[in-house]
């Protein structure tokens, strides 16, 4: 079973060695840059949200309400 390509013969000699290796190097550089950007961006969001997480302080009544009612709501949704 062979794969049919649109261009039957592709070779490095068509684009040249310099362009081929430059393309490989730029592709690896772009992949590493995007990976670092996404990873450090995620860490930045984690830091910001963890620093801002206690903006709402609940009193004892509200804590008790959410402690009791949230599992019941989840139980209803899981059964449906």
């Amino acid at each position: 079973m062979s794969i049919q390509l649109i261009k039957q013969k592709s070779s490095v000699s068509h684009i040249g060695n310099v362009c081929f290796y430059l393309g490989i190097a730029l592709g690896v550089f772009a992949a590493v840059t995007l990976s670092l950007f996404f990873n450090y961006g995620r860490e930045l969001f984690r830091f910001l949200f963890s620093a801002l997480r206690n903006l709402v302080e609940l009193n004892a009544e509200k804590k008790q309400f959410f402690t009791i009612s949230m599992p019941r709501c989840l139980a209803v949704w899981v059964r449906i």
Side-chain angles (χ1 to χ4, degrees):
M1 186 164 129
S2 65
I3 298 173
Q4 296 286 331
L5 299 175
I6 295 172
K7 189 174 183 180
Q8 295 298 324
K9 291 184 179 181
S10 62
S11 175
V12 176
S13 63
H14 290 294
I15 60 171
N17 285 339
V18 174
C19 288
F20 175 75
Y21 290 118
L22 185 64
I24 296 291
L26 289 177
V28 169
F29 177 75
V32 169
T33 302
L34 282 173
S35 175
L36 290 174
F37 173 74
F38 287 130
N39 287 334
Y40 282 111
R42 181 174 135 309
E43 291 298 322
L44 178 66
F45 280 122
R46 285 181 63 202
F47 172 74
L48 291 175
F49 287 125
S50 68
L52 301 174
R53 70 176 176 209
N54 288 332
L55 292 178
V56 177
E57 295 291 332
L58 299 175
N59 59 17
E61 289 179 1
K62 290 180 182 177
K63 284 182 185 177
Q64 184 179 8
F65 171 75
F66 285 115
T67 303
I68 294 171
S69 65
M70 290 305 288
R72 290 181 183 170
C73 291
L74 289 173
V76 169
W77 281 101
V78 169
R79 289 182 186 163
I80 293 175

